[in-house]
Amino acid sequence: MATKDAQSAVLLLLLSSVSVLSYLQFVNPGETQADSSPIHVSGTYPYWPNRTVDGDFSQTVRACLHTAITGVTEAWLRIDLQYVRSIKSVKFYYRNDRKSAALNTVRLRGYSIRVSNTSNVSLSLTDACFTDDMSHTLKTVIQEDCKRTTRYVWFYQPTIRGGDDRVPILEICEVQIFGCETGTYDVNCSKTCSHCKNSETCNIDSGECDYNGCAVPGFKPLMCTECSPGYYGSNCSSSCSSYCQEKACDRYTGECLYGCTPGYQQPDCSAPCMHGHYGENCTKACGNCFSNKTCNNVNGTCTDGCSEGFKGDLCVTNCSLYEYGQNCLKQCSYQCYNNKTCDPFFGNCSRCADGYKNAKCDEKCNAGTYGEHCSYLCGECLNAVTCNHVNGTCPKGCKPGYQRTEKCDKRT
């Protein structure tokens, strides 16, 4: 009978190893320690907690932990892994000699698997990686995922489940805990967490880093194989141009993936538009900025104002009638011929109204002259008063000896 039990135990051990591929198994008979809530003693036979880590996979009650049947309010088993490990799953073997599947695990219903890094903790406050929802009859060999970085693994039962029981009870026969040493992950524990800032822990399956992020700034959590948005280069140490659309650039070249924000040139959007251009893709031409300066590369406004003859923020609007000069701030003289507007650049008139001279027609004829182009001489006005600069009339009459005509240009 003993031989048969030993063969069964070996078979179970082999099967359990296959089921988790090549993750490490941390429970080692003679090394791993277990503790529990007070135990049951049948006659003189104690059901010690270390029976759960002795390598005996028999599931008859005498090979198992059996916690106390009186005097407690909760039942628990704690496995000490000796130091912090990165665990993947917990497998355990429960008593199976109570004559039916339902009876075998009735006391286990509603249990939880919990973890902690210290032994002196309130179990209800520990991190639960699995809690049974009591939706089905539990098997006597159970394996649950428990992806945690921890030293202590707990089995916790706070509730009375057996019909005739007076306290919560656990009857666990053997425990196996699979995982990797901290800082490693994946099947065979062959990959390291060196890409993580906290290189001691990463997701045991995928290698994803924890909330501390990546070891090298610029890489994108969780796997730290791609650059974070806004970075590029072999070590993700270079910043994409802040003028890339969506701050996204090619991982290796830095070229902006979605083009540039208005005012900047591809490929990497680090240079503003060339002189005389602005806007999206630098396709818009600047207006008539003062002294032929370039406009604002983003919105096209002329920082120092407009050239003569133009006005507005973009300097593309011609001066209105009777305006001229820089930003169209000057007024024509209103003495251009036939009341025409002046040249918007210099303010010159193509021809002056009678009685005015100079390019801008902004001066009256000199004394003694009048009319078109100020080309006519005044007559003999009384008291040597000059004539009207427009029509040549003498305002106070004529000198003695001249007829009283409007221009006093005829002798008596």
Side-chain angles (χ1 to χ4, degrees), residues 21-313:
L21 298 173
S22 298
Y23 286 100
L24 301 177
Q25 202 288 103
F26 293 130
V27 175
N28 298 308
E31 296 179 9
T32 304
Q33 296 297 309
D35 198 1
S36 72
S37 56
I39 63 168
H40 175 52
V41 178
S42 177
T44 59
Y45 188 84
Y47 295 89
W48 297 116
N50 274 354
R51 296 184 188 281
T52 63
V53 291
D54 61 3
D56 182 355
F57 288 84
S58 172
Q59 291 173 266
T60 58
V61 69
R62 291 180 69 84
C64 308
L65 160 74
H66 191 309
T67 58
I69 61 174
T70 61
V72 296
T73 58
E74 60 184 10
W76 53 266
L77 167 66
R78 183 184 69 226
I79 308 298
D80 183 358
L81 300 179
Q82 299 178 298
Y83 54 89
V84 172
R85 263 75 178 263
S86 178
I87 67 173
K88 173 179 173 59
S89 63
V90 175
K91 187 173 186 178
F92 66 100
Y93 300 78
Y94 206 78
R95 178 182 181 182
N96 69 358
D97 59 356
R98 296 191 71 192
K99 300 181 180 179
S100 75
L103 277 176
N104 284 337
T105 54
V106 66
R107 289 169 171 165
L108 187 60
R109 290 168 61 82
Y111 82 102
S112 59
I113 301 175
R114 296 171 172 268
V115 299
S116 71
N117 285 327
T118 59
S119 59
N120 185 22
V121 293
S122 172
L123 272 174
S124 61
L125 300 178
T126 51
D127 180 15
C129 57
F130 174 80
T131 300
D132 175 48
D133 61 8
M134 298 188 295
S135 62
H136 57 279
T137 298
L138 294 170
K139 297 179 180 179
T140 58
V141 179
I142 296 173
Q143 183 168 337
E144 299 293 350
D145 274 353
C146 186
K147 297 175 185 178
R148 299 291 192 275
T149 302
T150 189
R151 173 174 174 174
Y152 297 100
V153 176
W154 305 73
F155 298 84
Y156 181 51
Q157 177 58 282
T159 308
I160 300 170
R161 296 300 179 192
D164 297 326
D165 294 337
R166 290 177 287 174
V167 297
I169 295 173
L170 285 174
E171 302 160 298
I172 297 175
C173 304
E174 194 68 24
V175 175
Q176 291 182 302
I177 298 171
F178 300 94
C180 294
E181 298 293 352
T182 54
T184 60
Y185 73 99
D186 200 19
V187 176
N188 298 321
C189 303
S190 57
K191 298 179 180 179
T192 71
C193 302
S194 58
H195 56 290
C196 300
K197 187 173 183 180
N198 177 10
S199 61
E200 287 300 306
T201 181
C202 59
N203 184 286
I204 196 167
D205 291 327
S206 66
E208 292 180 349
C209 300
D210 64 14
Y211 63 89
N212 289 294
C214 303
V216 179
F219 279 91
K220 179 181 179 181
L222 299 166
M223 286 303 298
C224 306
T225 56
E226 297 294 329
C227 294
S228 292
Y231 292 89
Y232 74 98
S234 58
N235 291 318
C236 298
S237 56
S238 300
S239 297
C240 300
S241 168
S242 58
Y243 303 111
C244 288
Q245 290 282 12
E246 300 182 24
K247 301 296 185 291
C249 67
D250 181 87
R251 158 73 191 274
Y252 298 101
T253 66
E255 293 184 7
C256 297
L257 298 178
Y258 308 113
C260 308
T261 58
Y264 292 87
Q265 302 182 65
Q266 296 197 50
D268 63 5
C269 304
S270 60
C273 297
M274 294 179 65
H275 187 283
H277 294 83
Y278 77 97
E280 188 171 356
N281 298 319
C282 298
T283 55
K284 296 181 179 180
C286 293
N288 301 277
C289 297
F290 182 66
S291 294
N292 199 33
K293 294 179 180 178
T294 196
C295 61
N296 180 283
N297 59 304
V298 177
N299 58 30
T301 57
C302 293
T303 306
D304 295 325
C306 305
S307 293
E308 289 84 351
F310 297 92
K311 63 181 179 179
D313 291 337

Side-chain angles (χ1 to χ4, degrees), residues 264-406:
Y264 292 87
Q265 302 182 65
Q266 296 197 50
D268 63 5
C269 304
S270 60
C273 297
M274 294 179 65
H275 187 283
H277 294 83
Y278 77 97
E280 188 171 356
N281 298 319
C282 298
T283 55
K284 296 181 179 180
C286 293
N288 301 277
C289 297
F290 182 66
S291 294
N292 199 33
K293 294 179 180 178
T294 196
C295 61
N296 180 283
N297 59 304
V298 177
N299 58 30
T301 57
C302 293
T303 306
D304 295 325
C306 305
S307 293
E308 289 84 351
F310 297 92
K311 63 181 179 179
D313 291 337
L314 301 181
C315 300
V316 295
T317 303
N318 293 320
C319 290
S320 300
L321 289 175
Y322 307 109
E323 294 176 344
Y324 77 96
Q326 186 181 355
N327 299 315
C328 302
L329 294 177
K330 295 180 179 181
Q331 295 290 315
C332 297
S333 69
Y334 293 99
Q335 304 302 332
C336 294
Y337 186 73
N338 280 346
N339 206 31
K340 292 181 178 179
T341 191
C342 63
D343 172 77
F345 194 90
F346 296 109
N348 296 343
C349 297
S350 60
R351 174 182 173 185
C352 295
D354 290 354
Y356 292 89
K357 65 175 184 174
N358 294 337
K360 293 183 175 64
C361 304
D362 54 355
E363 289 186 29
K364 294 178 181 180
C365 295
N366 292 336
T369 62
Y370 75 95
E372 184 179 355
H373 304 306
C374 297
S375 59
Y376 298 97
L377 296 175
C378 292
E380 300 295 330
C381 297
L382 183 65
N383 297 329
V385 174
T386 190
C387 66
N388 181 280
H389 65 287
V390 175
N391 56 27
T393 59
C394 291
K396 296 183 178 181
C398 303
K399 270 184 178 184
Y402 285 85
Q403 297 180 21
R404 294 182 179 179
T405 60
E406 289 183 348

